[in-house]
Amino acid sequence: GQNIDQPTEMTATEGAIVQINCTYQTSGFNGLFWYQQHAGEAPTFLSYNVLDGLEEKGRFSSFLSRSKGYSYLLLKELQMKDSASYLCAVKDSNYQLIWGAGTKLIIKP
Amino acid sequence: GAVVSQHPSRVICKSGTSVKIECRSLDFQATTMFWYRQFPKQSLMLMATSNEGSKATYEQGVEKDKFLINHASLTLSTLTVTSAHPEDSSFYICSASRGGISGANVLTFGAGSRLTVL
């Protein structure tokens, strides 16, 4: 079966750095996405990785290792507004998106 | 950028009634739209893939006669929850991709519709 694993919840301090991990086992791979979802709202796109390595976009970076079936989302200089759920999703060989259950990130002052 | 509008954002209805949710791509044509359902503290569950001009493709376990999907134009897909019951109360979200479903094409989500069935 296809599976994506993320921690259920993480807590970090304002101004700090946090890394949210995602491991996947899918039938084929056509890219990995990270989305941010605030409570009661729809997800918004954060990043896309299809090749190994680090993609940096401001305070957010995303890393991919296809051989390990592993990705992480790195958030720097955390702000209170970063409190949200972070969803990892992988496109399989049929270009179908497989979603992780999401990681709820709690930022404390 | 791609914008997807979803309406209504909140709806409360009585058990046994039907509710229609609209999803529009405002600045692009979407041959394919996706309907998701999300229960509290859970991730997105794909219900069906809506294809313009043809029948929707439903995921396993989703009743096609209960969740009617119509994708009559390249910018509009509708989800009708028929004979709604309290267990249908959920957050329904539509999404579309400007460039189709392959590769790096990013999904843009509507704002979601929170359905409460009394």
Side-chain angles (χ1 to χ4, degrees):
Chain A
Q2 310 205 88
N3 193 50
I4 296 185
D5 289 314
Q6 307 177 232
T8 303
E9 187 174 297
M10 298 181 70
T11 302
T13 305
E14 189 177 16
I17 299 173
V18 70
Q19 177 175 311
I20 302 174
N21 296 326
C22 170
T23 58
Y24 61 90
Q25 301 90 37
T26 56
S27 56
F29 178 83
N30 278 301
L32 184 145
F33 297 79
W34 283 96
Y35 282 82
Q36 180 191 60
Q37 185 179 25
H38 285 100
E41 299 180 12
T44 55
F45 170 75
L46 287 179
S47 68
Y48 171 75
N49 294 71
V50 67
L51 299 176
D52 290 351
L54 187 68
E55 294 280 343
E56 296 187 76
K57 198 186 282 187
R59 293 190 299 115
F60 293 5
S61 303
S62 57
F63 172 83
L64 174 68
S65 169
R66 289 171 295 171
S67 62
K68 295 182 179 178
Y70 167 70
S71 172
Y72 67 72
L73 180 68
L74 189 72
L75 292 76
K76 303 176 185 176
E77 302 170 16
L78 286 170
Q79 302 174 11
M80 297 303 294
K81 67 178 182 180
D82 297 330
S83 292
S85 288
Y86 291 85
L87 308 176
C88 174
V90 173
K91 273 191 179 176
D92 66 11
S93 56
N94 295 319
Y95 295 100
Q96 182 172 1
L97 264 180
I98 311 301
W99 291 88
T103 299
K104 182 179 180 180
L105 177 63
I106 300 169
I107 309 297
K108 295 186 175 180
Chain B
V3 178
V4 174
S5 173
Q6 186 172 344
H7 177 81
S9 58
R10 293 180 184 274
V11 57
I12 301 173
C13 69
K14 293 181 179 180
S15 185
T17 60
S18 295
V19 174
K20 179 186 283 188
I21 301 170
E22 291 188 349
C23 181
R24 295 179 184 273
S25 56
L26 296 186
D27 54 354
F28 66 102
Q29 294 182 331
T31 55
T32 304
M33 291 185 175
F34 304 90
W35 286 97
Y36 290 88
R37 183 175 182 175
Q38 187 175 36
F39 291 106
K41 300 183 180 181
Q42 295 186 25
S43 190
L44 301 169
M45 185 193 81
L46 179 64
M47 299 176 64
T49 301
S50 171
N51 304 297
E52 187 269 335
S54 64
K55 292 183 179 180
T57 304
Y58 289 82
E59 296 300 304
Q60 191 173 9
V62 178
E63 299 175 59
K64 62 180 180 180
D65 294 330
K66 180 168 185 63
F67 299 100
L68 300 179
I69 291 174
N70 184 280
H71 195 154
S73 77
L74 286 171
T75 59
L76 174 64
S77 176
T78 61
L79 168 68
T80 302
V81 183
T82 62
S83 187
H85 292 284
E87 57 266 29
D88 298 324
S89 298
S90 187
F91 192 49
Y92 293 86
I93 313 175
C94 71
S95 68
S97 173
R98 178 189 285 274
I101 64 172
S102 65
N105 294 310
V106 174
L107 282 181
T108 300
F109 287 86
S113 300
R114 184 162 301 284
L115 171 63
T116 303
V117 185
L118 302 177

